[in-house]
Amino acid sequence: MAGKRTIGDTEASTSVKTSRRSDPARVESRRHQILDAAAACFRRHGFRGASMSELSACAGMSTGHIYHYFKSKEAIVEAIVERCQQQGLALIESLKGADDILQTMVAKVGSAMTEMAKTADPGLVLEILAEASRNPVVAEIVRSKEATILRSLEEVLAAGQRQGTIDPAYHVPSLARLLSALFDGLSLHRAVSPDLDLGAINPLHQELLRRFLSPKA
Amino acid sequence: MAGKRTIGDTEASTSVKTSRRSDPARVESRRHQILDAAAACFRRHGFRGASMSELSACAGMSTGHIYHYFKSKEAIVEAIVERCQQQGLALIESLKGADDILQTMVAKVGSAMTEMAKTADPGLVLEILAEASRNPVVAEIVRSKEATILRSLEEVLAAGQRQGTIDPAYHVPSLARLLSALFDGLSLHRAVSPDLDLGAINPLHQELLRRFLSPKA
């Protein structure tokens, strides 16, 4: 297929294509275009129902073109999961330099939930998680991305323990798991009940973090 | 179809069939057989991929026979969701008469998580939730079943507030939502990481409930 040339597809035009394809901004924008189309496609047809040719129709690109940017459907899933986690990871990373990690976490968690409610697509996340429970390759992708979040959260929590704002009695990996489960559970509930009243829940979420994480007086 | 008779399908044998089909224990066992087969089928093929004829093959029954017990694929989903929630609902109900609701909740939550880890199928739950985010009929089923859990939990929490074991400062519906999100989030994490160390997480989960829910000293 790669060797096939249409009329007018001279060496010169091929070299233009190559340089366009390797322009980082253009590559990035193409990748985003494919990920948006794939996300919509997974949501509509389910992961199983969305074949590479279906994806190609959604994205308005040939499958060959898609393969230029992503080597497989799994590579697309990996990039989607990464994109879904970006906000959460950025929130965690932003806590790392804080003078009072607990207070900063409490201050930021409400707006982070509200922000995520605006931009994230919990239905897409569920679709990928459902596939992960069935498909070992997707499971490994999800686990490895989740491990990145958990590691980063563990670093923040351990730093909080060292600075004395987070109770040092807690086992850090379990604590990270519990807090991230709470966050993910709320996203899950929002997927089922999009009208979830975050305005009422956020203050309780903050109070939970304050009471649970503070060192015992 | 219902009027068609095969050779030997006399009035007498029809009446035996009818009485068998209306025997409550037999009906219950047939329904369970169908739900087990449907659960396996949804897990393997996804909700979309599992047509009624696929379900009939999985269950080893004719589609007509299945329709006798469940009027649609959605009715099967409703029964599966109900079955998935039974354990959680039983746990909540068991707290209602407790002298100290908070202490009883703390005492039971660890073993409930461990028990649920043994019997529940979080992959199946994810499959149904993913479908709910796409299919309004399934969404309504999930929301209505979830409302049952939340209402029951609200009753328990309000009773805890009245007896003074749970902080009366909390807004009960938001509190119920937050606690059930935590529980569901942990199930979600277990779906992705089946080797999740509940032995390490349970004591923290209990400490969270104790510190968060107790009235301020």
Side-chain angles (χ1 to χ4, degrees), chain A residues 26-157:
Chain A
R26 197 179 160 81
V27 166
E28 208 38 41
S29 126
R30 280 301 200 193
R31 286 175 58 96
H32 273 290
Q33 183 184 344
I34 295 169
L35 295 182
D36 288 341
C41 208
F42 290 155
R43 292 278 274 115
R44 210 172 313 134
H45 307 289
F47 184 88
R48 292 263 149 138
S51 64
M52 261 301 205
S53 67
E54 199 93 40
L55 290 186
S56 124
C58 285
M61 287 183 196
S62 69
T63 51
H65 206 158
I66 293 183
Y67 278 120
H68 179 78
Y69 295 98
F70 296 98
K71 67 178 197 297
S72 62
K73 199 161 119 179
E74 280 73 22
I76 294 179
V77 171
E78 186 166 1
I80 289 179
V81 174
E82 225 163 63
R83 209 161 65 152
C84 290
Q85 291 183 330
Q86 248 167 17
Q87 259 183 318
L89 202 55
L91 168 68
I92 297 170
E93 291 293 322
S94 78
L95 300 174
K96 280 190 177 160
D99 285 336
D100 185 325
I101 286 178
L102 177 57
Q103 280 317 314
T104 315
M105 191 188 284
V106 167
K108 286 188 173 183
V109 77
S111 59
M113 274 306 302
T114 307
E115 195 50 45
M116 216 164 294
K118 273 188 232 148
T119 57
D121 179 351
L124 176 63
V125 174
L126 285 170
E127 191 58 50
I128 291 174
L129 290 177
E131 181 61 20
S133 76
R134 186 165 52 209
N135 175 336
V137 178
V138 173
E140 195 38 52
I141 292 171
V142 172
R143 255 196 302 277
S144 116
K145 297 293 161 198
E146 189 184 74
T148 308
I149 293 265
L150 288 171
R151 246 192 327 265
S152 183
L153 186 51
E154 286 170 17
E155 284 168 22
V156 167
L157 293 168

Side-chain angles (χ1 to χ4, degrees), chain B residues 102-180:
Chain B
L102 176 58
Q103 280 317 313
T104 314
M105 191 188 283
V106 167
K108 287 188 172 182
V109 76
S111 58
M113 275 306 302
T114 308
E115 195 51 42
M116 217 164 293
K118 274 188 231 148
T119 58
D121 180 351
L124 177 64
V125 175
L126 286 170
E127 192 58 51
I128 290 173
L129 291 177
E131 181 61 21
S133 76
R134 185 163 52 206
N135 175 336
V137 178
V138 173
E140 196 38 50
I141 292 171
V142 172
R143 254 197 303 276
S144 117
K145 297 293 161 199
E146 189 184 74
T148 308
I149 292 264
L150 287 172
R151 246 192 327 265
S152 182
L153 186 52
E154 285 170 17
E155 284 168 23
V156 166
L157 293 169
Q161 288 185 328
R162 282 194 302 274
Q163 70 180 201
T165 57
I166 290 176
D167 196 327
Y170 293 128
H171 175 241
V172 166
S174 302
L175 190 57
R177 183 63 86 164
L178 203 62
L179 296 183
S180 104

Side-chain angles (χ1 to χ4, degrees), chain A residues 43-44 46 48 123 127 133-134 143 146 167 170 174 177 180-181 184-185 189 192-193 196 200 211-212 214, chain B residues 43-44 46 48 123 127 133-134 143 146 167 170 174 177 180-181 184-185 189 192-193 196 200 211-212 214:
Chain A
R43 292 278 274 115
R44 210 172 313 134
R48 292 263 149 138
E127 191 58 50
S133 76
R134 186 165 52 209
R143 255 196 302 277
E146 189 184 74
D167 196 327
Y170 293 130
S174 301
R177 183 64 86 164
S180 102
D184 293 342
H189 275 245
V192 176
S193 312
L196 200 69
R211 292 200 193 180
F212 176 45
S214 297
Chain B
R43 292 279 273 116
R44 209 172 314 134
R48 292 262 150 140
E127 192 58 51
S133 76
R134 185 163 52 206
R143 254 197 303 276
E146 189 184 74
D167 196 327
Y170 293 128
S174 302
R177 183 63 86 164
S180 104
D184 293 342
H189 275 245
V192 176
S193 311
L196 200 69
R211 291 200 194 181
F212 176 44
S214 297

